[in-house]
């Protein structure tokens, strides 16, 4: 998906959806963003294993490490250092990718994202919740493994962040995501925190215009969007 051609260098962006969702969820936000940026936007969306068009793509085991590696490979194939955009689990994967050795990343945009857990008991509780949610969402067997947290790498290494970060929270999201976003914004150098009033856990879906405005200002500082944005 690309914006109108322009003289400014294109912005490469890789968008990773959340657990139980699909790549299609990004359409409203990317559509709104298209009309705001001066530079052309080259946006790539993809389905996580067991989701969307890849619901049957579980012939080989997948876990949080393999999906991080897939995102890393996608970033490496980008013509220029990409912006990593992610929602919830997709944001966590984007953080994990940016914090581990791999291709250069221009920036990260995190929507309703938490940094994970240092306490093993908390991680086990999270993993059990993902298992129950997989059953409720009727995800294929094995799909929950991509959301199982195995360590505290992201939480421990947040201060090592070396690229600009935009942290977007829904003003009416669950407390754990409110707190998680605050932790990321506080510990990641050069992070900017933006709250979308009245939005829940999916502001990119329910409030695409407001999120697009925040993203555009982040990617192109000084962009004049007028009082209507």
């Amino acid at each position: 998906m690309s914006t109108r051609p322009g003289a400014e260098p294109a912005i490469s962006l890789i968008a990773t959806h959340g657990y139980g969702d699909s790549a299609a969820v990004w359409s409203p936000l990317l559509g709104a963003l298209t009309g705001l940026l001066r530079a052309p936007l080259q946006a790539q969306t993809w389905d996580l294993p067991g989701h969307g068009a890849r619901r049957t793509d579980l012939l080989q085991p997948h876990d949080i490490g393999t999906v991080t590696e897939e995102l890393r490979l996608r970033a490496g194939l980008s013509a220029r250092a990409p912006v990593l955009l992610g929602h919830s689990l997709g944001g966590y994967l984007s953080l994990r990718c940016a914090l581990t050795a791999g291709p250069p990343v221009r920036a990260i945009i995190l929507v309703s994202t938490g940094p994970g857990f240092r306490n093993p008991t908390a991680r086990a509780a999270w993993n059990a919740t993902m298992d129950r949610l997989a059953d409720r969402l009727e995800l294929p067997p094995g799909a929950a493994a991509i959301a199982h947290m195995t360590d505290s790498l992201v939480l421990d290494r947040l201060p090592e962040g070396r690229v600009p970060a935009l942290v977007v929270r829904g003003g009416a999201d669950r407390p754990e995501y409110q707190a998680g976003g605050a932790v990321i914004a506080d510990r990641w150098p050069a992070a900017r925190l933006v709250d979308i009033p009245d939005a829940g856990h999916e502001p990119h879906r329910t409030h695409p215009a407001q999120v697009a405005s925040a993203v555009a200002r982040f990617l192109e500082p000084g962009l004049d969007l007028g009082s209507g944005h």
Side-chain angles (χ1 to χ4, degrees):
M1 175 177 182
S2 300
T3 64
R4 58 192 179 281
E8 298 194 31
I11 297 172
S12 294
L13 182 147
I14 302 175
T16 305
H17 66 81
Y19 189 61
D21 226 320
S22 74
V25 74
W26 294 113
S27 294
L29 174 60
L30 295 178
L33 191 58
T34 293
L36 299 180
L37 294 172
R38 292 185 296 254
L41 178 66
Q42 297 174 341
Q44 174 189 160
T45 62
W46 62 297
D47 287 316
L48 293 171
H51 295 67
R54 298 176 65 185
R55 284 186 65 86
T56 59
D57 183 15
L58 291 168
L59 297 179
Q60 62 180 9
H62 290 282
D63 57 30
I64 209 156
T66 64
V67 289
T68 301
E69 180 60 23
E70 182 171 353
L71 177 55
R72 187 180 294 117
L73 290 172
R74 290 175 180 275
L77 292 173
S78 178
R80 56 189 59 80
V83 175
L84 300 183
L85 164 65
H87 167 245
S88 200
L89 173 61
Y92 180 84
L93 295 171
S94 298
L95 280 168
R96 199 174 180 93
C97 181
L99 286 168
T100 53
V105 170
R106 171 175 171 171
I108 56 174
I109 301 169
L110 310 169
V111 182
S112 304
T113 297
F117 308 93
R118 185 174 290 112
N119 186 307
T121 301
R123 287 201 299 270
W126 167 270
N127 295 344
T129 298
M130 294 302 100
D131 290 337
R132 291 192 296 272
L133 187 56
D135 291 338
R136 191 162 77 239
L137 296 174
E138 299 183 346
L139 295 180
I146 69 168
H148 285 176
M149 295 193 178
T150 57
D151 55 43
S152 58
L153 182 150
V154 168
L155 185 57
D156 292 340
R157 297 182 61 180
L158 285 175
E160 300 176 24
R162 295 293 180 265
V163 298
L166 176 66
V167 180
V168 179
R169 301 187 303 184
D173 200 358
R174 300 192 296 277
E176 58 267 32
Y177 285 102
Q178 292 276 344
V183 168
I184 296 170
D186 180 62
R187 300 184 186 179
W188 185 280
R192 182 186 309 174
L193 179 63
V194 173
D195 286 330
I196 306 300
D198 302 321
H201 189 57
E202 300 178 305
H204 57 307
R205 187 201 299 266
T206 60
H207 296 67
Q210 293 93 318
V211 176
S213 177
V215 170
R217 288 190 169 97
F218 171 70
L219 294 177
E220 295 185 344
L223 186 65
D224 182 9
L225 299 180
S227 59
H229 297 277

